[in-house]
Amino acid sequence: MTTDRTQDGKGSDVHGIFQKIAGYYDRMNFVMTLGRHEKWCREVAARVAPARGGQLLDLATGTGVIALEAARRYPTVTVTGADFSAEMLRRAKAKPGADAVRWQHADATDLPFEDESFDGITEGYLLRNVADLPAVLREQHRVLKPGGRVVILETCPPSGLVEPVVKWGMRVIVPLLGQVVARDRKSYTYLESSTRAFETPQSIAVVLRGLGFRDIGWRKKFFGTNVILWATKAN
Ligand SMILES: C[S@@+](CC[C@H](N)C(=O)[O-])C[C@H]1O[C@@H](n2cnc3c(N)ncnc32)[C@H](O)[C@@H]1O
């Protein structure tokens, strides 16, 4: 591990990394996914499908790609983009269309929202950064209305025939891109290692089911390195 792990779990060092990489986050994402990230965010926004006039939460909104897409797609819905990195939120607020979103500083481990306040929740690349994944999903279940859907974009540990090639690419290419594009090899070494160590969609589905979600499904993307998962809170 190349980052300093704090004693209170992942929170503090992850927060520092995202504060640091906010300025070149979009550029790096574009390069690392060969431009596919925006397309996946559009799919996440399309799949959450909140009720007309409803409330949508985009958690770990970062520079706001999913939140902005959701606000554009659902003009009658109130979209809240929440993140614990003030730097990320600053970048999000400066983007075209940002006035259509409510931006809020919030920690996914302790959400500042009432029970059953949202018709839908989206999130991109949050779960692999948290120390207690079931607790973070439990918080989302708490603030979601019955019948509401959560849609999750995540990285996925590679498997199958392409596994050795993809693992090599991630271990070598991602930190190298971090060095070349962002002059920050260390932060991108963390992002690569947190991806390799992360859960499979099957194990996330087990947690979601245990919390009371149903209609759980997923689609892998980009040689199985990314995944979009969805689940509905039981009525
Ligand atoms: C890789 S970025 C993803 C941003 C955006 N969702 C996207 O798809 O481009 C992960 C984001 O999660 C945020 N994050 C990580 N842990 C968090 C937590 N416990 N509470 C709130 N935000 C968190 C980081 O600050 C960062 O902005």
Side-chain angles (χ1 to χ4, degrees), residues 2 59 77 163 197 212:
T2 55
L59 251 185
V77 169
E163 182 180 343

Side-chain angles (χ1 to χ4, degrees), residues 160-180:
L161 285 178
V162 293
E163 182 180 343
V165 180
V166 172
K167 272 190 172 162
W168 175 84
M170 286 166 70
R171 202 167 45 242
V172 177
I173 306 290
V174 171
L176 192 66
L177 286 174
Q179 171 75 42
V180 174

Side-chain angles (χ1 to χ4, degrees), residues 18 21-30 37 62-63 65 88 124-125 188 191:
F18 285 110
I21 70 173
Y24 44 78
Y25 175 77
D26 284 342
R27 205 175 341 137
M28 266 302 284
N29 243 2
F30 184 85
H37 175 248
T63 58
V65 183
M88 284 286 195
Y125 308 124
Y188 280 89
L191 293 180

Side-chain angles (χ1 to χ4, degrees), residues 109-218:
T109 62
D110 185 17
L111 292 173
F113 306 113
E114 301 286 319
D115 295 359
E116 302 185 3
S117 353
F118 294 98
D119 300 270
I121 298 179
T122 53
E123 64 197 66
Y125 308 124
L126 167 67
L127 298 179
R128 80 189 136 109
N129 292 305
V130 301
D132 190 344
L133 181 143
V136 165
L137 289 175
R138 194 174 308 116
E139 264 299 84
Q140 293 176 37
H141 185 268
R142 178 182 71 75
V143 301
L144 198 56
K145 292 181 190 169
R149 186 179 283 181
V150 61
V151 185
I152 299 167
L153 170 63
E154 255 309 336
T155 49
C156 196
S159 61
L161 285 178
V162 293
E163 182 180 343
V165 180
V166 172
K167 272 190 172 162
W168 175 84
M170 286 166 70
R171 202 167 45 242
V172 177
I173 306 290
V174 171
L176 192 66
L177 286 174
Q179 171 75 42
V180 174
V181 179
R183 303 258 177 278
D184 184 0
R185 189 179 187 95
K186 189 174 166 181
S187 299
Y188 280 89
T189 302
Y190 160 73
L191 293 180
E192 181 275 325
S193 59
S194 67
T195 295
R196 258 189 303 135
F198 190 56
E199 311 282 346
T200 60
Q202 285 85 349
S203 59
I204 299 173
V206 169
V207 178
L208 287 167
R209 203 166 295 117
L211 289 169
F213 285 97
R214 59 173 170 76
D215 299 336
I216 301 166
W218 63 86

